Amino acid sequence: YPEKNVIFEPLDIYDEHWLGKKLARVAFNLMPTSTIRGKHRLYILRYKKYVKFFFLNLANHVIGPIPFVKNIIRFLDRVLVPVDSQAASLVDKYKPDLVFVPDIIFGPDRIFARVARAQGIYIIGTPRSWDNLTSKGFAMVKPDKLLVLTSRMVPEAIKYVGMKKEDVIVTGPPQFDMYFKPAKNTKEEFCKKLGIDPKRRIVLCAPFFDP
């Protein structure tokens, strides 16, 4: 990163405040999606804690769908979870116009989201992957704008994060930006390099991920 406006700051922050983690766990268990309920079923099969599973399942079905539940948990997060002093000092140092949160569900990222919320700084966030809005619990700090990977995530962002439609932007998966490059060679040049007749039809077989 040779650009002069890119600065790296080391911080000894390994995890968020314990109360923030507890509230995030509540948010996870109350999210009324089939994915979370499936994880509850796996929990009972693995640990045989039938009573705990019964109450988790009951809370998920009865309390989870109530619209204002997210607001209550977020209110508790705002008034009870202390802002991290190291993160706050860093934000005070640079006084940014906005804070970008690359994973709105991830605990360490919430540390900076809480600082931005407390200081009234504009927040832009994104989920780490396509399934995170339905499988990781709802965002404890709601961003001002949310960048999502697919159009299918737009209604999920509205329903589970509480975003307005106009505040959700479909950008595609950023990890694939490296493949969005202009072609260096024409088809004729490409075929000539490989000794292929350019008039022939070519079938491309590409693995999903790099080896």
Side-chain angles (χ1 to χ4, degrees), residues 4 29 43 47 49 57 69 107 125-126 138 145 149 180 182 191-192 201 208:
K4 294 181 180 180
N29 285 308
Y43 180 90
Y47 299 107
K49 295 186 177 181
N57 195 49
V69 167
T126 183
F138 61 80
K145 296 287 184 181
L149 280 62
F180 187 74
C191 291
K192 182 179 179 180
R201 300 177 68 182
F208 188 70

Side-chain angles (χ1 to χ4, degrees), residues 170-205:
V170 181
T171 62
Q175 60 266 40
F176 293 143
D177 279 356
M178 60 181 292
Y179 299 109
F180 187 74
K181 300 175 182 178
K184 295 181 179 180
N185 302 314
T186 63
K187 178 182 177 181
E188 288 73 20
E189 292 171 335
F190 174 79
C191 291
K192 182 179 179 180
K193 182 179 179 181
L194 298 178
I196 302 173
D197 183 354
K199 295 181 180 180
R200 295 182 61 182
R201 300 177 68 182
I202 301 173
V203 176
L204 172 65
C205 178

